[in-house]
Amino acid sequence: MSRQYPIEKYRNIGIIAHIDAGKTTTTERFLFYTGISHKIGEVHEGEAIMDWMEQERERGITITSAATTCFWSPGEYLTKEKTDTHRINLIDTPGHIDFTAEVQRSLRVLDGAVVVFDGVAGVEAQSETVWRQADKYNVPRICFINKLDRMGASFEKSLQSIWDKLTKDAVAIQYPIGEEAQFEQVIDLIEMKAVKFEGEMGKDVIFFDIPENMMEKAKEWREKMIEKIVAEDEELMNKYLGGEEISAEELKKTLRKAVIDCKLIPVMVGSSLKNKGVQLVIDAVVYYLPSPVDLPAIHGTDVNNEEVKIERHPDDNEPFSGLAFKVATDPFVGTLTYVRAYSGKFTKGGYLYNTVTQERERVSRILRMHSNEREEVEEVFAGDIVAFVGLKNTSTGHTLCDEKNQLILEKIVFPEPVISIQVEPKAKADQEKMGASLKKLQDEDPTFRMETDQESGETILSGMGELHLDIIVDRLKREFNVETNVGRPQVSYRETIERSSEAECKYVKQTGGRGQYGHVKLKIEPKERGEGFEFINEIKGGVIPREYIPAVEKGVKEAMEKGVVAGYPLIDMKVVLHDGSFHEVDSSELAFKIAGSMALQDGAKKAGAYILEPIMKLEVVIPPEFLGDVIGDLSSRRGQIDETIDRPSVKAIYARVPLSEMFSYATTLRSLTQGRGTSSMEFESYQKVPGNISQEIIEGKRR
Ligand code: GDP
């Protein structure tokens, strides 16, 4: 078998957006117009195509990151046939802030993105967060200002907010005719034509002459666009300065190059719900976003030496390499491992090598997902996005490659969980099943962790927010039939130290036969937030024999896990072992481990250990009349207001608030605002807990 579509005609893209900006609706329109979906399900009817997990439908948000394949020839709405077929793989990205790790892992594997904005709200806090992540991964982008039909919508204001908050490189390639209820048509500034959308679901796209009353605006905005595009190409610039006419083809070609290099970002307009403009966005995906061969080769590292870089090109003749970016449990086929293939080809039934677990994995079947139906495929090629069936032990972020040509593609680093709950099965008999099910969920989601408390035997779940854990518990019930009792959410506090200190412990025991002797001197120093733990051995002249050093480190680490203030793990510190002594007969690993542990506890106390708490970045959007109440409430939660912004008919408040004060905030906000306020929250950093609250945590009053 050979590939069906040349790799140049692949577009691996994601649609990303702030929750409610219209990502689901836009995705559905993509699938409708590309011919995959013939029936459109509105979100509120629970028929959203991408939201194939029952629970997501109920909540109306997309959590999982599935991939869907569809086909498109630019302008096919005019010719009514697919003549220049491109394969578009849509990689679903979750919209809720609790799941930014999922957004990250999808950004890692996609080649380009359509960023959807609400034409009323413009750039919202979360769009900013996702935008920065896309910057980090150098993802070429198109902006789509959606919902232009809504009351209060403004193209120019939304574009201004993109310029102000995200980038000056955004360039409008369209301009709307009318706004709010009058929004019907758009002007294509490149072709200098007006466009309308007629027929069922607006599927007939009709180009016509720009109306007289819009001509001036169109000229003004085309001029702005051309200036930005020609600046990217010297030859074109000279032509333009020489007063020559620049053709649509030249503009498109130069714009394509600039978009792929992340130098320009085209901005388009429309209304997905009212079926206006989406086909032109699909055209733009093909015109401006890259195929896998337009991007630099992917880099990995040697399995045994991180310093050695290895390159793989999007070429079927290179050894196979791919990255698992999503693991999902499917009721029919079991575990689905979504993989982005970067190089080579691979036939089902064969083995791939997982360089992270260092195990071979057999791929029994390969599936290509078309939203709610799946196609069995024999082979996967460079640039493909497919789901593998049959893998036993591959998690998100793992590299799968040819066993004889191994490499590790960049691993994805996920943030520490900030909140935890205790769970137990309602029926004692379900204990084992609960453990196995949680293990599966943990494999799917690297930001979710399950632990068993050594002392109490309790099962503790931790994750990125209350909603995140709610969903896990809900999935236990729905997908695995395990009903649970859930404890109250607990903040994942941490401890750290204020200053440097010196500590010494001589652990000596003389009991009957062989005694115990371990003696260590430690220097303990604080590190910056997020720098982690470092152990340095500076023992010289064998004052402590080499075989006991790992035992000291182990003791130090165990003591750090337990903390010294209120039982939370100590983080971000450097421990230097610089002196000590030993006894020929009585010294043992155990004695040195105990000495290390006791010295650390003593040293951390002397270094002014204190408690850290997770601080969240919060965005609250409310009607203006509730501003006073909402701000008052936030202040009582130790919130710090950073900014309050006026938007058409609403206020947006940006604040930083300790997570411990934010439990059930959504409910409070609803009652404060008669159900009209919305909020979203994201972890920002760990910060020192104020004295009085620290006391409450120590006394266990704060739960
Ligand atoms: P998501 O959260 O980003 O996936 O957004 P959805 O697609 O679920 O849309 C959120 C809400 O906005 C839904 O009630 C949609 O019907 C509505 N919506 C989406 N696109 C438009 C649009 O272009 N115009 C208007 N007026 N509403 C829209």
Side-chain angles (χ1 to χ4, degrees):
M1 276 231 350
S2 57
R3 62 163 66 239
Q4 276 172 294
Y5 295 94
I7 193 166
E8 295 78 18
K9 295 197 188 290
Y10 276 50
R11 297 291 181 273
N12 293 324
I13 65 152
I15 299 182
I16 55 186
H18 188 284
I19 191 161
D20 257 8
K23 190 191 73 190
T24 310
T25 313
T26 307
T27 305
E28 284 175 13
R29 296 305 187 265
F30 259 66
L31 297 179
F32 175 79
Y33 295 122
T34 54
I36 291 292
S37 135
H38 298 285
K39 177 167 178 278
I40 293 202
E42 294 302 341
V43 180
H44 55 264
E45 290 168 7
E47 286 187 286
I49 290 162
M50 292 292 265
D51 289 4
W52 47 275
M53 286 170 68
E54 188 185 343
Q55 176 190 22
E56 288 180 46
R57 284 185 203 157
E58 277 181 12
R59 287 176 194 261
I61 57 173
T62 311
I63 310 157
T64 52
S65 175
T68 312
T69 296
C70 57
F71 301 95
W72 186 251
S73 304
E76 64 172 60
Y77 38 79
L78 298 177
T79 55
K80 304 290 178 209
E81 54 186 292
K82 297 203 190 262
T83 47
D84 177 26
T85 310
H86 286 70
R87 162 176 271 150
I88 301 177
N89 292 314
L90 278 179
I91 297 155
D92 190 28
T93 56
H96 193 277
I97 202 77
D98 267 357
F99 306 102
T100 44
E102 290 237 16
V103 179
Q104 267 185 46
R105 84 168 82 137
S106 31
L107 284 178
R108 176 72 175 72
V109 297
L110 47 79
D111 297 330
V114 175
V115 187
V116 181
F117 297 90
D118 178 332
V120 180
V123 176
E124 294 162 274
Q126 200 195 330
S127 338
E128 230 178 308
T129 310
V130 180
W131 189 270
R132 303 283 165 239
Q133 284 168 352
D135 281 345
K136 193 170 121 195
Y137 291 107
N138 286 320
V139 177
R141 268 153 278 178
I142 292 171
C143 291
F144 177 53
I145 300 178
N146 186 35
K147 297 197 180 185
L148 218 66
D149 61 297
R150 275 185 64 197
M151 203 162 81
S154 160
F155 170 70
E156 291 196 19
K157 274 206 191 118
S158 298
L159 180 61
Q160 190 64 47
S161 80
I162 292 175
W163 283 336
D164 290 345
K165 290 188 179 161
L166 304 181
T167 174
K168 291 269 177 281
D169 301 328
V171 49
I173 61 167
Q174 294 182 331
Y175 194 88
I177 303 183
E179 282 180 339
E180 304 181 309
Q182 271 73 50
F183 173 66
E184 285 293 331
Q185 302 157 351
V186 300
I187 294 169
D188 177 335
L189 297 170
I190 292 182
E191 302 289 349
M192 271 310 253
K193 286 278 176 197
V195 192
K196 58 186 170 186
F197 308 88
E198 298 192 334
E200 183 205 349
M201 302 297 299
K203 69 181 168 33
D204 302 320
V205 181
I206 298 157
F207 286 73
F208 62 103
D209 290 337
I210 297 171
E212 210 45 57
N213 63 344
M214 288 303 296
M215 207 49 182
E216 207 167 314
K217 265 279 184 229
K219 282 188 175 150
E220 174 197 333
W221 281 83
R222 178 177 159 89
E223 212 51 36
K224 291 190 201 193
M225 174 191 77
I226 291 183
E227 276 169 17
K228 278 203 157 142
I229 296 177
V230 298
E232 297 297 325
D233 184 287
E234 214 181 296
E235 211 175 307
L236 217 56
M237 174 66 107
N238 290 336
K239 221 170 151 180
Y240 173 70
L241 293 177
E244 273 182 69
E245 192 59 35
I246 314 246
S247 74
E249 279 321 305
E250 285 171 310
L251 287 171
K252 279 193 203 163
K253 193 171 147 229
T254 309
L255 181 56
R256 172 176 181 77
K257 187 166 181 312
V259 173
I260 292 172
D261 294 341
C262 290
K263 289 192 179 143
L264 286 181
I265 293 153
V267 180
M268 309 180 72
V269 297
S271 161
S272 295
L273 188 69
K274 299 285 162 68
N275 307 312
K276 310 234 177 288
V278 179
Q279 295 99 318
L280 303 182
V281 178
I282 315 178
D283 279 354
V285 165
V286 170
Y287 290 147
Y288 307 119
L289 293 181
S291 80
V293 287
D294 295 317
L295 294 171
I298 181 105
H299 286 268
T301 56
D302 187 281
V303 177
N304 300 312
N305 185 353
E306 265 186 50
E307 303 293 307
V308 180
K309 302 268 177 267
I310 300 175
E311 236 184 37
R312 290 275 184 272
H313 298 92
D315 181 341
D316 297 344
N317 297 317
E318 290 217 356
F320 183 85
S321 68
L323 189 77
F325 66 95
K326 166 81 195 168
V327 179
T329 313
D330 180 273
F332 301 107
V333 293
T335 302
L336 287 176
T337 311
Y338 286 87
V339 174
R340 155 86 199 238
Y342 285 99
S343 62
K345 56 180 185 230
F346 174 76
T347 312
K348 76 172 187 186
Y351 286 86
L352 284 174
Y353 196 76
N354 180 329
T355 44
V356 178
T357 60
Q358 310 215 330
E359 284 171 28
R360 296 171 94 199
E361 290 269 26
R362 182 167 184 273
V363 181
S364 57
R365 294 161 71 191
I366 304 173
L367 302 177
R368 180 169 287 131
M369 318 301 273
H370 300 270
S371 66
N372 42 11
E373 69 182 38
R374 8 181 106 153
E375 174 196 0
E376 290 261 358
V377 293
E378 294 296 311
E379 235 176 335
V380 40
F381 299 93
D384 271 333
I385 291 185
V386 291
F388 283 164
V389 181
L391 308 196
K392 299 257 179 310
N393 203 11
T394 295
S395 305
T396 295
H398 288 184
T399 302
L400 291 164
C401 61
D402 181 20
E403 190 168 358
K404 293 196 201 70
N405 292 280
Q406 296 186 14
L407 83 169
I408 294 183
L409 298 168
E410 178 197 307
K411 267 172 72 182
I412 308 171
V413 185
F414 291 104
E416 285 286 311
V418 293
I419 187 168
S420 64
I421 48 169
Q422 184 223 325
V423 292
E424 59 179 30
K426 281 198 173 142
K428 271 270 168 291
D430 277 348
Q431 185 71 41
E432 212 166 293
K433 193 162 142 202
M434 182 180 84
S437 313
L438 287 170
K439 163 89 175 52
K440 275 196 184 145
L441 292 171
Q442 184 172 269
D443 286 346
E444 282 181 26
D445 178 354
T447 58
F448 161 63
R449 288 188 206 160
M450 166 197 47
E451 281 154 322
T452 310
D453 187 302
Q454 295 291 335
E455 279 148 37
S456 62
E458 289 169 352
T459 305
I460 311 284
L461 313 183
S462 31
M464 299 313 297
E466 248 182 316
L467 177 62
H468 188 197
L469 295 179
D470 274 359
I471 286 171
I472 300 275
V473 169
D474 210 27
R475 289 186 64 187
L476 268 182
K477 183 166 142 206
R478 257 165 226 285
E479 291 171 36
F480 300 96
N481 273 319
V482 182
E483 295 216 33
T484 49
N485 293 320
V486 176
R488 268 205 266 180
Q490 307 281 331
V491 175
S492 303
Y493 293 107
R494 295 283 183 271
E495 298 179 8
T496 195
I497 52 170
E498 184 95 51
R499 51 183 180 269
S500 301
S501 74
E502 289 277 353
E504 177 173 2
C505 175
K506 194 183 249 180
Y507 178 69
V508 187
K509 251 202 172 126
Q510 234 62 60
T511 43
R514 195 182 147 187
Q516 295 280 7
Y517 187 102
H519 177 205
V520 300
K521 288 188 186 175
L522 304 178
K523 195 156 57 200
I524 297 172
E525 291 168 30
K527 292 184 75 160
E528 295 288 314
R529 240 358 41 76
E531 280 189 356
F533 165 68
E534 190 183 8
F535 181 84
I536 293 173
N537 171 28
E538 281 181 2
I539 291 295
K540 293 199 185 72
V543 293
I544 298 174
R546 197 173 320 138
E547 67 259 37
Y548 296 133
I549 308 286
V552 177
E553 183 173 354
K554 209 165 161 203
V556 164
K557 275 191 183 152
E558 279 184 17
M560 285 183 57
E561 267 310 301
K562 293 203 185 89
V564 294
V565 185
Y568 295 100
L570 278 156
I571 57 167
D572 299 336
M573 47 196 270
K574 178 161 127 184
V575 176
V576 184
L577 170 63
H578 63 94
D579 203 0
S581 64
F582 73 107
H583 185 279
E584 285 292 351
V585 183
D586 290 347
S587 276
S588 67
E589 282 185 16
L590 181 68
F592 273 103
K593 193 177 113 180
I594 293 173
S597 165
M598 287 169 66
L600 189 282
Q601 287 177 47
D602 178 45
K605 280 181 199 150
K606 280 199 243 162
Y610 59 86
I611 304 175
L612 293 166
E613 64 178 342
I615 303 292
M616 310 298 280
K617 246 187 339 204
L618 175 76
E619 180 194 58
V620 186
V621 180
I622 47 164
E625 60 266 37
F626 303 114
L627 188 68
D629 288 348
V630 171
I631 287 193
D633 173 68
L634 283 176
S635 304
S636 75
R637 295 171 187 269
R638 297 192 280 134
Q640 280 191 355
I641 313 293
D642 290 332
E643 205 180 2
T644 304
I645 291 175
D646 286 310
R647 297 218 194 113
S649 70
V650 291
K651 296 250 182 211
I653 306 167
Y654 295 90
R656 274 166 298 154
V657 195
L659 175 64
S660 63
E661 307 285 345
M662 293 305 285
F663 290 141
S664 313
Y665 182 68
T667 315
T668 310
L669 183 66
R670 267 199 298 278
S671 64
L672 278 176
T673 60
Q674 297 165 8
R676 291 167 63 201
T678 57
S679 67
S680 71
M681 205 162 61
E682 179 191 21
F683 171 69
E684 189 207 56
S685 61
Y686 271 102
Q687 302 271 332
K688 185 173 183 173
V689 170
N692 54 333
I693 293 186
S694 175
Q695 202 49 42
E696 288 179 17
I697 296 170
I698 295 166
E699 289 165 10
K701 286 185 192 150
R702 239 185 140 67
R703 305 216 115 230

